[in-house]
Amino acid sequence: MNLKETLFNKNLPVHEQLIFCLLLTAVGGFFDAYTFVNCDGIFANAQTGNLIFVGIDLIEGNIPEVIHYSVPILSFVVGVLVSKVIETRYKELSIFKHIYMLLIVQILALLLIIFKHNFFGVDVRPIVISFICAIQFDGFRKINNLVFASVFCTGNLRSMSEHLYKYVVLKKKESAVPLFIYSIVIVVFLSGVLLGAAMSKFYLHKAILIPLFIICVNLLFVIAIHNKFSRKRI
């Protein structure tokens, strides 16, 4: 597979295209940095980190902090459940309509916290963003036929290391493309973190407009591909 086919493979569904998945990955990195900076150290994606904080605070008897870190974990679970409901209840929908639904749910959720992120004294940003990340994680799991995650990088790092070994040590040329893809996914995630941290420190809550814009760009990308396929059928 050459570079052009890697960047856009017409044989793959739109939600597995490299461009689409890299935009999701940038958003995933941004969200983690955004909530960590703006929401008292909560991770939007890395629920393992939140679970560690829950365990430490339980030992220390700090119940308010246990609740603080438990709420986004529960929200992540709810997000996965909602994603599964959409997947099973609307399974007759085309892949494009399914993607539209997942992206629009994310956009509406972000619009909610942009206009009002505090309800009855409760900051709902980590709750809503963890929900969004769960939908994103469950709904989009492959990139160029490779298993990946857009919201955290442990699995991606493992896969990159595996293909690095195969390519360098075992001389397997077929690992070149997966190595490239996983490497760029990790770089883009880190770039999203850097952008999220910088924008959050400078613009605080208003920084959330950036992932909203990126998700809207992804939606436009899906619409463009859908229209292209529709014209071919005519």
Side-chain angles (χ1 to χ4, degrees):
M1 184 181 292
N2 58 37
L3 180 60
K4 185 177 179 181
E5 290 178 332
T6 303
L7 294 175
F8 185 80
N9 188 334
K10 61 183 179 180
N11 297 318
L12 291 174
V14 64
H15 64 292
E16 290 186 30
Q17 297 291 342
L18 184 65
I19 297 171
F20 180 89
C21 293
L22 289 181
L23 288 173
L24 287 181
T25 302
V27 168
F30 191 104
F31 277 148
D32 249 351
Y34 174 86
T35 54
F36 189 84
V37 172
N38 288 297
C39 306
D40 298 325
I42 287 178
F43 290 111
N45 306 323
Q47 301 306 326
T48 302
N50 293 331
L51 278 169
I52 290 170
F53 288 133
V54 167
I56 292 171
D57 288 319
L58 277 172
I59 291 297
E60 295 177 349
N62 193 344
I63 302 304
E65 287 298 297
V66 170
I67 297 171
H68 176 70
Y69 289 108
S70 296
V71 171
I73 295 171
L74 294 174
S75 181
F76 191 91
V77 172
V78 172
V80 172
L81 294 176
V82 169
S83 177
K84 288 303 178 188
V85 168
I86 293 173
E87 180 183 324
T88 54
R89 191 165 186 176
Y90 302 99
K91 58 186 176 182
E92 73 282 356
L93 293 178
S94 68
I95 186 63
F96 286 104
K97 290 181 179 178
H98 182 73
I99 296 169
Y100 290 152
M101 189 174 292
L102 293 179
L103 292 177
I104 288 171
V105 167
Q106 294 180 60
I107 289 169
L108 292 176
L110 282 176
L111 287 172
L112 169 68
I113 59 174
I114 284 171
F115 291 109
K116 188 171 179 62
H117 64 271
N118 197 298
F119 287 85
F120 304 105
V122 176
D123 186 352
V124 298
R125 290 177 296 180
I127 300 171
V128 173
I129 293 174
S130 291
F131 172 82
I132 292 171
C133 290
I135 289 179
Q136 184 170 309
F137 172 62
D138 189 68
F140 308 109
R141 298 187 184 185
K142 284 191 174 183
I143 178 172
N144 278 47
N145 282 324
L146 299 170
V147 175
F148 100 116
S150 62
V151 296
F152 35 74
C153 271
T154 304
N156 299 330
L157 278 167
R158 187 207 66 80
S159 297
M160 184 206 71
S161 303
E162 178 183 354
H163 286 288
L164 178 63
Y165 174 79
K166 289 179 178 179
Y167 184 71
V168 175
V169 179
L170 302 182
K171 308 299 181 183
K172 292 188 175 181
K173 293 182 179 180
E174 62 270 23
S175 283
V177 171
L179 175 60
F180 168 76
I181 290 173
Y182 283 120
S183 297
I184 197 171
V185 164
I186 293 166
V187 170
V188 169
F189 185 88
L190 178 58
S191 299
V193 172
L194 293 172
L195 181 63
M199 293 298 100
S200 296
K201 287 183 180 294
F202 282 109
Y203 299 106
L204 302 176
H205 175 59
K206 292 180 182 178
I208 202 67
L209 290 169
I210 294 175
L212 175 63
F213 172 76
I214 295 173
I215 294 173
C216 288
V217 169
N218 237 358
L219 181 60
L220 292 175
F221 174 73
V222 174
I223 292 171
I225 298 300
H226 189 191
N227 291 339
K228 183 177 179 180
F229 274 89
S230 298
R231 284 195 297 269
K232 284 184 177 180
R233 293 194 190 101
I234 296 175

